[in-house]
PDB file of all heavy atoms in Angstrom:
ATOM      1  N   LEU A  18      -4.660   1.178  -3.517  1.00 98.00           N
ATOM      2  CA  LEU A  18      -4.062   2.080  -2.539  1.00 98.00           C
ATOM      3  C   LEU A  18      -5.066   3.140  -2.102  1.00 98.00           C
ATOM      4  O   LEU A  18      -5.597   3.880  -2.929  1.00 98.00           O
ATOM      5  CB  LEU A  18      -2.820   2.733  -3.148  1.00 98.00           C
ATOM      6  CG  LEU A  18      -2.176   3.911  -2.414  1.00 98.00           C
ATOM      7  CD1 LEU A  18      -1.795   3.534  -0.984  1.00 98.00           C
ATOM      8  CD2 LEU A  18      -0.939   4.393  -3.170  1.00 98.00           C
ATOM      9  N   PHE A  19      -5.316   3.193  -0.783  1.00 98.00           N
ATOM     10  CA  PHE A  19      -6.188   4.196  -0.195  1.00 98.00           C
ATOM     11  C   PHE A  19      -5.452   4.895   0.943  1.00 98.00           C
ATOM     12  O   PHE A  19      -4.473   4.368   1.475  1.00 98.00           O
ATOM     13  CB  PHE A  19      -7.471   3.551   0.349  1.00 98.00           C
ATOM     14  CG  PHE A  19      -8.292   2.848  -0.691  1.00 98.00           C
ATOM     15  CD1 PHE A  19      -8.096   1.497  -0.947  1.00 98.00           C
ATOM     16  CD2 PHE A  19      -9.245   3.531  -1.428  1.00 98.00           C
ATOM     17  CE1 PHE A  19      -8.847   0.832  -1.913  1.00 98.00           C
ATOM     18  CE2 PHE A  19     -10.007   2.887  -2.405  1.00 98.00           C
ATOM     19  CZ  PHE A  19      -9.801   1.532  -2.644  1.00 98.00           C
ATOM     20  N   HIS A  20      -5.935   6.072   1.307  1.00 96.00           N
ATOM     21  CA  HIS A  20      -5.345   6.814   2.426  1.00 96.00           C
ATOM     22  C   HIS A  20      -6.421   7.042   3.476  1.00 96.00           C
ATOM     23  O   HIS A  20      -7.155   6.130   3.822  1.00 96.00           O
ATOM     24  CB  HIS A  20      -4.732   8.122   1.923  1.00 96.00           C
ATOM     25  CG  HIS A  20      -3.590   7.928   0.987  1.00 96.00           C
ATOM     26  ND1 HIS A  20      -3.758   7.763  -0.384  1.00 96.00           N
ATOM     27  CD2 HIS A  20      -2.257   7.843   1.208  1.00 96.00           C
ATOM     28  CE1 HIS A  20      -2.564   7.589  -0.960  1.00 96.00           C
ATOM     29  NE2 HIS A  20      -1.641   7.644  -0.018  1.00 96.00           N
ATOM     30  N   ASP A  21      -6.495   8.227   4.003  1.00 95.00           N
ATOM     31  CA  ASP A  21      -7.545   8.586   4.950  1.00 95.00           C
ATOM     32  C   ASP A  21      -8.897   8.566   4.241  1.00 95.00           C
ATOM     33  O   ASP A  21      -9.027   9.058   3.117  1.00 95.00           O
ATOM     34  CB  ASP A  21      -7.258   9.984   5.511  1.00 95.00           C
ATOM     35  CG  ASP A  21      -8.259  10.414   6.561  1.00 95.00           C
ATOM     36  OD1 ASP A  21      -8.820   9.535   7.240  1.00 95.00           O
ATOM     37  OD2 ASP A  21      -8.467  11.640   6.708  1.00 95.00           O
ATOM     38  N   ILE A  22      -9.885   7.962   4.869  1.00 95.00           N
ATOM     39  CA  ILE A  22     -11.225   7.906   4.285  1.00 95.00           C
ATOM     40  C   ILE A  22     -12.182   8.608   5.243  1.00 95.00           C
ATOM     41  O   ILE A  22     -12.601   8.031   6.255  1.00 95.00           O
ATOM     42  CB  ILE A  22     -11.665   6.453   4.036  1.00 95.00           C
ATOM     43  CG1 ILE A  22     -10.700   5.777   3.059  1.00 95.00           C
ATOM     44  CG2 ILE A  22     -13.098   6.422   3.484  1.00 95.00           C
ATOM     45  CD1 ILE A  22     -10.990   4.332   2.785  1.00 95.00           C
ATOM     46  N   PRO A  23     -12.503   9.875   4.977  1.00 91.00           N
ATOM     47  CA  PRO A  23     -13.378  10.617   5.890  1.00 91.00           C
ATOM     48  C   PRO A  23     -14.782  10.033   5.914  1.00 91.00           C
ATOM     49  O   PRO A  23     -15.191   9.311   4.996  1.00 91.00           O
ATOM     50  CB  PRO A  23     -13.360  12.031   5.305  1.00 91.00           C
ATOM     51  CG  PRO A  23     -13.028  11.843   3.859  1.00 91.00           C
ATOM     52  CD  PRO A  23     -12.107  10.668   3.802  1.00 91.00           C
ATOM     53  N   SER A  25     -17.518  11.324   5.308  1.00 92.00           N
ATOM     54  CA  SER A  25     -18.328  11.743   4.161  1.00 92.00           C
ATOM     55  C   SER A  25     -18.142  10.837   2.944  1.00 92.00           C
ATOM     56  O   SER A  25     -18.984  10.818   2.043  1.00 92.00           O
ATOM     57  CB  SER A  25     -17.987  13.184   3.782  1.00 92.00           C
ATOM     58  OG  SER A  25     -16.605  13.301   3.453  1.00 92.00           O
ATOM     59  N   SER A  26     -17.032  10.075   2.909  1.00 94.00           N
ATOM     60  CA  SER A  26     -16.751   9.186   1.778  1.00 94.00           C
ATOM     61  C   SER A  26     -16.997   7.720   2.111  1.00 94.00           C
ATOM     62  O   SER A  26     -16.759   6.845   1.269  1.00 94.00           O
ATOM     63  CB  SER A  26     -15.294   9.350   1.322  1.00 94.00           C
ATOM     64  OG  SER A  26     -15.039  10.661   0.883  1.00 94.00           O
ATOM     65  N   LEU A  27     -17.458   7.439   3.310  1.00 96.00           N
ATOM     66  CA  LEU A  27     -17.617   6.054   3.755  1.00 96.00           C
ATOM     67  C   LEU A  27     -18.598   5.284   2.878  1.00 96.00           C
ATOM     68  O   LEU A  27     -18.344   4.129   2.507  1.00 96.00           O
ATOM     69  CB  LEU A  27     -18.067   6.026   5.218  1.00 96.00           C
ATOM     70  CG  LEU A  27     -18.140   4.641   5.866  1.00 96.00           C
ATOM     71  CD1 LEU A  27     -16.775   3.967   5.847  1.00 96.00           C
ATOM     72  CD2 LEU A  27     -18.642   4.759   7.307  1.00 96.00           C
ATOM     73  N   GLY A  28     -19.729   5.908   2.522  1.00 96.00           N
ATOM     74  CA  GLY A  28     -20.712   5.237   1.691  1.00 96.00           C
ATOM     75  C   GLY A  28     -20.170   4.905   0.314  1.00 96.00           C
ATOM     76  O   GLY A  28     -20.406   3.808  -0.214  1.00 96.00           O
ATOM     77  N   ILE A  29     -19.422   5.837  -0.280  1.00 97.00           N
ATOM     78  CA  ILE A  29     -18.819   5.607  -1.599  1.00 97.00           C
ATOM     79  C   ILE A  29     -17.814   4.471  -1.526  1.00 97.00           C
ATOM     80  O   ILE A  29     -17.776   3.600  -2.402  1.00 97.00           O
ATOM     81  CB  ILE A  29     -18.139   6.893  -2.107  1.00 97.00           C
ATOM     82  CG1 ILE A  29     -19.173   7.998  -2.293  1.00 97.00           C
ATOM     83  CG2 ILE A  29     -17.386   6.638  -3.407  1.00 97.00           C
ATOM     84  CD1 ILE A  29     -18.567   9.350  -2.615  1.00 97.00           C
ATOM     85  N   PHE A  30     -17.008   4.471  -0.451  1.00 98.00           N
ATOM     86  CA  PHE A  30     -16.018   3.409  -0.287  1.00 98.00           C
ATOM     87  C   PHE A  30     -16.707   2.055  -0.129  1.00 98.00           C
ATOM     88  O   PHE A  30     -16.286   1.059  -0.735  1.00 98.00           O
ATOM     89  CB  PHE A  30     -15.128   3.703   0.915  1.00 98.00           C
ATOM     90  CG  PHE A  30     -14.098   2.636   1.172  1.00 98.00           C
ATOM     91  CD1 PHE A  30     -13.004   2.488   0.343  1.00 98.00           C
ATOM     92  CD2 PHE A  30     -14.235   1.771   2.257  1.00 98.00           C
ATOM     93  CE1 PHE A  30     -12.053   1.494   0.568  1.00 98.00           C
ATOM     94  CE2 PHE A  30     -13.290   0.779   2.495  1.00 98.00           C
ATOM     95  CZ  PHE A  30     -12.204   0.639   1.648  1.00 98.00           C
ATOM     96  N   LEU A  33     -17.862   0.786  -3.458  1.00 98.00           N
ATOM     97  CA  LEU A  33     -16.745   0.334  -4.277  1.00 98.00           C
ATOM     98  C   LEU A  33     -16.257  -1.035  -3.814  1.00 98.00           C
ATOM     99  O   LEU A  33     -15.981  -1.920  -4.639  1.00 98.00           O
ATOM    100  CB  LEU A  33     -15.600   1.354  -4.201  1.00 98.00           C
ATOM    101  CG  LEU A  33     -14.332   1.001  -4.979  1.00 98.00           C
ATOM    102  CD1 LEU A  33     -14.624   0.889  -6.471  1.00 98.00           C
ATOM    103  CD2 LEU A  33     -13.243   2.041  -4.721  1.00 98.00           C
ATOM    104  N   PHE A 121       1.126  15.556   4.464  1.00 92.00           N
ATOM    105  CA  PHE A 121       0.548  16.444   3.452  1.00 92.00           C
ATOM    106  C   PHE A 121       1.539  17.473   2.937  1.00 92.00           C
ATOM    107  O   PHE A 121       1.286  18.130   1.924  1.00 92.00           O
ATOM    108  CB  PHE A 121      -0.678  17.152   4.023  1.00 92.00           C
ATOM    109  CG  PHE A 121      -1.796  16.208   4.371  1.00 92.00           C
ATOM    110  CD1 PHE A 121      -2.298  16.152   5.661  1.00 92.00           C
ATOM    111  CD2 PHE A 121      -2.334  15.375   3.412  1.00 92.00           C
ATOM    112  CE1 PHE A 121      -3.338  15.288   5.983  1.00 92.00           C
ATOM    113  CE2 PHE A 121      -3.368  14.501   3.721  1.00 92.00           C
ATOM    114  CZ  PHE A 121      -3.866  14.466   5.012  1.00 92.00           C
ATOM    115  N   GLY A 125      -2.423  19.821  -0.364  1.00 63.00           N
ATOM    116  CA  GLY A 125      -3.439  18.801  -0.532  1.00 63.00           C
ATOM    117  C   GLY A 125      -4.549  18.927   0.485  1.00 63.00           C
ATOM    118  O   GLY A 125      -5.188  19.969   0.597  1.00 63.00           O
ATOM    119  N   ARG A 126      -4.774  17.858   1.246  1.00 69.00           N
ATOM    120  CA  ARG A 126      -5.891  17.824   2.184  1.00 69.00           C
ATOM    121  C   ARG A 126      -5.495  18.287   3.581  1.00 69.00           C
ATOM    122  O   ARG A 126      -6.164  17.952   4.557  1.00 69.00           O
ATOM    123  CB  ARG A 126      -6.464  16.418   2.230  1.00 69.00           C
ATOM    124  CG  ARG A 126      -7.162  16.013   0.925  1.00 69.00           C
ATOM    125  CD  ARG A 126      -7.827  14.659   1.037  1.00 69.00           C
ATOM    126  NE  ARG A 126      -6.834  13.606   1.171  1.00 69.00           N
ATOM    127  CZ  ARG A 126      -7.161  12.320   1.366  1.00 69.00           C
ATOM    128  NH1 ARG A 126      -8.422  11.964   1.475  1.00 69.00           N
ATOM    129  NH2 ARG A 126      -6.225  11.405   1.463  1.00 69.00           N
ATOM    130  N   GLU A 128      -5.871  20.990   4.937  1.00 74.00           N
ATOM    131  CA  GLU A 128      -6.903  21.817   5.562  1.00 74.00           C
ATOM    132  C   GLU A 128      -7.945  20.971   6.288  1.00 74.00           C
ATOM    133  O   GLU A 128      -8.723  21.488   7.098  1.00 74.00           O
ATOM    134  CB  GLU A 128      -7.591  22.697   4.509  1.00 74.00           C
ATOM    135  CG  GLU A 128      -8.473  21.968   3.519  1.00 74.00           C
ATOM    136  CD  GLU A 128      -7.702  21.316   2.371  1.00 74.00           C
ATOM    137  OE1 GLU A 128      -6.460  21.488   2.339  1.00 74.00           O
ATOM    138  OE2 GLU A 128      -8.333  20.662   1.529  1.00 74.00           O
ATOM    139  N   GLN A 129      -7.976  19.658   6.023  1.00 80.00           N
ATOM    140  CA  GLN A 129      -8.925  18.778   6.687  1.00 80.00           C
ATOM    141  C   GLN A 129      -8.435  18.325   8.064  1.00 80.00           C
ATOM    142  O   GLN A 129      -9.178  17.676   8.794  1.00 80.00           O
ATOM    143  CB  GLN A 129      -9.212  17.556   5.817  1.00 80.00           C
ATOM    144  CG  GLN A 129      -9.869  17.891   4.481  1.00 80.00           C
ATOM    145  CD  GLN A 129     -10.101  16.652   3.631  1.00 80.00           C
ATOM    146  OE1 GLN A 129      -9.936  15.531   4.076  1.00 80.00           O
ATOM    147  NE2 GLN A 129     -10.483  16.876   2.381  1.00 80.00           N
ATOM    148  N   ARG A 222       1.370   2.754 -10.913  1.00 98.00           N
ATOM    149  CA  ARG A 222       0.257   1.924 -11.377  1.00 98.00           C
ATOM    150  C   ARG A 222       0.722   0.704 -12.162  1.00 98.00           C
ATOM    151  O   ARG A 222       1.689   0.771 -12.926  1.00 98.00           O
ATOM    152  CB  ARG A 222      -0.711   2.745 -12.238  1.00 98.00           C
ATOM    153  CG  ARG A 222      -1.395   3.875 -11.485  1.00 98.00           C
ATOM    154  CD  ARG A 222      -2.522   4.491 -12.308  1.00 98.00           C
ATOM    155  NE  ARG A 222      -3.071   5.657 -11.634  1.00 98.00           N
ATOM    156  CZ  ARG A 222      -3.970   5.601 -10.643  1.00 98.00           C
ATOM    157  NH1 ARG A 222      -4.416   4.424 -10.241  1.00 98.00           N
ATOM    158  NH2 ARG A 222      -4.418   6.698 -10.071  1.00 98.00           N
ATOM    159  N   SER A 238      -3.702   3.794  -6.942  1.00 97.00           N
ATOM    160  CA  SER A 238      -4.417   4.681  -6.038  1.00 97.00           C
ATOM    161  C   SER A 238      -5.819   4.935  -6.586  1.00 97.00           C
ATOM    162  O   SER A 238      -5.979   5.287  -7.757  1.00 97.00           O
ATOM    163  CB  SER A 238      -3.658   6.006  -5.898  1.00 97.00           C
ATOM    164  OG  SER A 238      -4.362   6.892  -5.055  1.00 97.00           O
ATOM    165  N   ILE A 239      -6.824   4.727  -5.740  1.00 97.00           N
ATOM    166  CA  ILE A 239      -8.211   4.910  -6.146  1.00 97.00           C
ATOM    167  C   ILE A 239      -8.802   6.080  -5.360  1.00 97.00           C
ATOM    168  O   ILE A 239      -9.010   5.979  -4.146  1.00 97.00           O
ATOM    169  CB  ILE A 239      -9.058   3.646  -5.892  1.00 97.00           C
ATOM    170  CG1 ILE A 239      -8.388   2.401  -6.517  1.00 97.00           C
ATOM    171  CG2 ILE A 239     -10.473   3.832  -6.421  1.00 97.00           C
ATOM    172  CD1 ILE A 239      -8.387   2.383  -8.016  1.00 97.00           C
ATOM    173  N   ALA A 240      -9.046   7.187  -6.036  1.00 95.00           N
ATOM    174  CA  ALA A 240      -9.651   8.340  -5.384  1.00 95.00           C
ATOM    175  C   ALA A 240     -11.160   8.136  -5.311  1.00 95.00           C
ATOM    176  O   ALA A 240     -11.792   7.694  -6.273  1.00 95.00           O
ATOM    177  CB  ALA A 240      -9.335   9.619  -6.158  1.00 95.00           C
ATOM    178  N   LEU A 241     -11.741   8.444  -4.171  1.00 96.00           N
ATOM    179  CA  LEU A 241     -13.166   8.208  -3.976  1.00 96.00           C
ATOM    180  C   LEU A 241     -14.028   9.342  -4.517  1.00 96.00           C
ATOM    181  O   LEU A 241     -15.241   9.182  -4.673  1.00 96.00           O
ATOM    182  CB  LEU A 241     -13.449   7.987  -2.489  1.00 96.00           C
ATOM    183  CG  LEU A 241     -12.764   6.767  -1.873  1.00 96.00           C
ATOM    184  CD1 LEU A 241     -13.073   6.674  -0.385  1.00 96.00           C
ATOM    185  CD2 LEU A 241     -13.174   5.486  -2.592  1.00 96.00           C
ATOM    186  N   GLU A 242     -13.412  10.489  -4.799  1.00 94.00           N
ATOM    187  CA  GLU A 242     -14.197  11.626  -5.276  1.00 94.00           C
ATOM    188  C   GLU A 242     -14.383  11.626  -6.789  1.00 94.00           C
ATOM    189  O   GLU A 242     -15.124  12.468  -7.320  1.00 94.00           O
ATOM    190  CB  GLU A 242     -13.545  12.943  -4.839  1.00 94.00           C
ATOM    191  CG  GLU A 242     -12.151  13.183  -5.387  1.00 94.00           C
ATOM    192  CD  GLU A 242     -11.043  12.637  -4.498  1.00 94.00           C
ATOM    193  OE1 GLU A 242     -11.350  11.784  -3.640  1.00 94.00           O
ATOM    194  OE2 GLU A 242      -9.883  13.064  -4.670  1.00 94.00           O
ATOM    195  N   VAL A 243     -13.739  10.696  -7.507  1.00 96.00           N
ATOM    196  CA  VAL A 243     -13.878  10.658  -8.964  1.00 96.00           C
ATOM    197  C   VAL A 243     -15.093   9.814  -9.348  1.00 96.00           C
ATOM    198  O   VAL A 243     -15.579   9.007  -8.553  1.00 96.00           O
ATOM    199  CB  VAL A 243     -12.607  10.096  -9.625  1.00 96.00           C
ATOM    200  CG1 VAL A 243     -11.395  10.940  -9.244  1.00 96.00           C
ATOM    201  CG2 VAL A 243     -12.381   8.635  -9.260  1.00 96.00           C
ATOM    202  N   PRO A 244     -15.611   9.964 -10.574  1.00 96.00           N
ATOM    203  CA  PRO A 244     -16.776   9.169 -11.005  1.00 96.00           C
ATOM    204  C   PRO A 244     -16.498   7.673 -10.942  1.00 96.00           C
ATOM    205  O   PRO A 244     -15.355   7.223 -11.122  1.00 96.00           O
ATOM    206  CB  PRO A 244     -17.000   9.635 -12.455  1.00 96.00           C
ATOM    207  CG  PRO A 244     -16.401  11.003 -12.510  1.00 96.00           C
ATOM    208  CD  PRO A 244     -15.213  10.956 -11.589  1.00 96.00           C
ATOM    209  N   PHE A 245     -17.540   6.890 -10.715  1.00 96.00           N
ATOM    210  CA  PHE A 245     -17.408   5.441 -10.616  1.00 96.00           C
ATOM    211  C   PHE A 245     -16.846   4.843 -11.901  1.00 96.00           C
ATOM    212  O   PHE A 245     -16.073   3.881 -11.877  1.00 96.00           O
ATOM    213  CB  PHE A 245     -18.761   4.818 -10.270  1.00 96.00           C
ATOM    214  CG  PHE A 245     -18.723   3.325 -10.088  1.00 96.00           C
ATOM    215  CD1 PHE A 245     -17.819   2.732  -9.221  1.00 96.00           C
ATOM    216  CD2 PHE A 245     -19.596   2.509 -10.803  1.00 96.00           C
ATOM    217  CE1 PHE A 245     -17.777   1.357  -9.053  1.00 96.00           C
ATOM    218  CE2 PHE A 245     -19.567   1.130 -10.637  1.00 96.00           C
ATOM    219  CZ  PHE A 245     -18.649   0.553  -9.763  1.00 96.00           C
ATOM    220  N   ALA A 246     -17.213   5.408 -13.040  1.00 97.00           N
ATOM    221  CA  ALA A 246     -16.706   4.907 -14.322  1.00 97.00           C
ATOM    222  C   ALA A 246     -15.189   5.009 -14.384  1.00 97.00           C
ATOM    223  O   ALA A 246     -14.511   4.120 -14.934  1.00 97.00           O
ATOM    224  CB  ALA A 246     -17.338   5.683 -15.480  1.00 97.00           C
ATOM    225  N   TYR A 247     -14.636   6.078 -13.822  1.00 97.00           N
ATOM    226  CA  TYR A 247     -13.180   6.244 -13.801  1.00 97.00           C
ATOM    227  C   TYR A 247     -12.546   5.254 -12.836  1.00 97.00           C
ATOM    228  O   TYR A 247     -11.473   4.702 -13.114  1.00 97.00           O
ATOM    229  CB  TYR A 247     -12.822   7.673 -13.408  1.00 97.00           C
ATOM    230  CG  TYR A 247     -11.347   7.998 -13.537  1.00 97.00           C
ATOM    231  CD1 TYR A 247     -10.750   8.101 -14.787  1.00 97.00           C
ATOM    232  CD2 TYR A 247     -10.553   8.180 -12.405  1.00 97.00           C
ATOM    233  CE1 TYR A 247      -9.399   8.389 -14.911  1.00 97.00           C
ATOM    234  CE2 TYR A 247      -9.200   8.469 -12.524  1.00 97.00           C
ATOM    235  CZ  TYR A 247      -8.632   8.573 -13.777  1.00 97.00           C
ATOM    236  OH  TYR A 247      -7.286   8.848 -13.902  1.00 97.00           O
ATOM    237  N   GLN A 248     -13.180   4.998 -11.702  1.00 97.00           N
ATOM    238  CA  GLN A 248     -12.678   3.993 -10.766  1.00 97.00           C
ATOM    239  C   GLN A 248     -12.621   2.627 -11.439  1.00 97.00           C
ATOM    240  O   GLN A 248     -11.643   1.888 -11.287  1.00 97.00           O
ATOM    241  CB  GLN A 248     -13.567   3.936  -9.525  1.00 97.00           C
ATOM    242  CG  GLN A 248     -13.520   5.195  -8.666  1.00 97.00           C
ATOM    243  CD  GLN A 248     -14.532   5.168  -7.538  1.00 97.00           C
ATOM    244  OE1 GLN A 248     -15.458   4.359  -7.535  1.00 97.00           O
ATOM    245  NE2 GLN A 248     -14.367   6.063  -6.572  1.00 97.00           N
ATOM    246  N   LYS A 249     -13.662   2.290 -12.202  1.00 96.00           N
ATOM    247  CA  LYS A 249     -13.682   1.002 -12.905  1.00 96.00           C
ATOM    248  C   LYS A 249     -12.575   0.939 -13.954  1.00 96.00           C
ATOM    249  O   LYS A 249     -11.967  -0.117 -14.162  1.00 96.00           O
ATOM    250  CB  LYS A 249     -15.053   0.762 -13.545  1.00 96.00           C
ATOM    251  CG  LYS A 249     -16.161   0.539 -12.534  1.00 96.00           C
ATOM    252  CD  LYS A 249     -17.353  -0.202 -13.130  1.00 96.00           C
ATOM    253  CE  LYS A 249     -18.008   0.545 -14.239  1.00 96.00           C
ATOM    254  NZ  LYS A 249     -19.228  -0.165 -14.740  1.00 96.00           N
ATOM    255  N   LEU A 251      -9.652   2.295 -13.726  1.00 97.00           N
ATOM    256  CA  LEU A 251      -8.416   2.004 -13.003  1.00 97.00           C
ATOM    257  C   LEU A 251      -8.350   0.540 -12.601  1.00 97.00           C
ATOM    258  O   LEU A 251      -7.289  -0.096 -12.706  1.00 97.00           O
ATOM    259  CB  LEU A 251      -8.321   2.897 -11.757  1.00 97.00           C
ATOM    260  CG  LEU A 251      -8.258   4.405 -11.999  1.00 97.00           C
ATOM    261  CD1 LEU A 251      -8.233   5.146 -10.671  1.00 97.00           C
ATOM    262  CD2 LEU A 251      -7.036   4.768 -12.835  1.00 97.00           C
TER     263      LEU A 251
END
Side-chain angles (χ1 to χ4, degrees):
L18 169 57
F19 299 91
H20 296 87
D21 183 28
I22 299 177
S25 59
S26 298
L27 186 60
I29 297 172
F30 179 72
L33 178 62
F121 296 122
R126 292 185 292 176
E128 70 279 357
Q129 297 178 9
R222 296 190 186 279
S238 178
I239 308 291
L241 298 178
E242 62 270 18
V243 302
F245 182 53
Y247 188 70
Q248 293 173 345
K249 292 202 298 184
L251 298 177

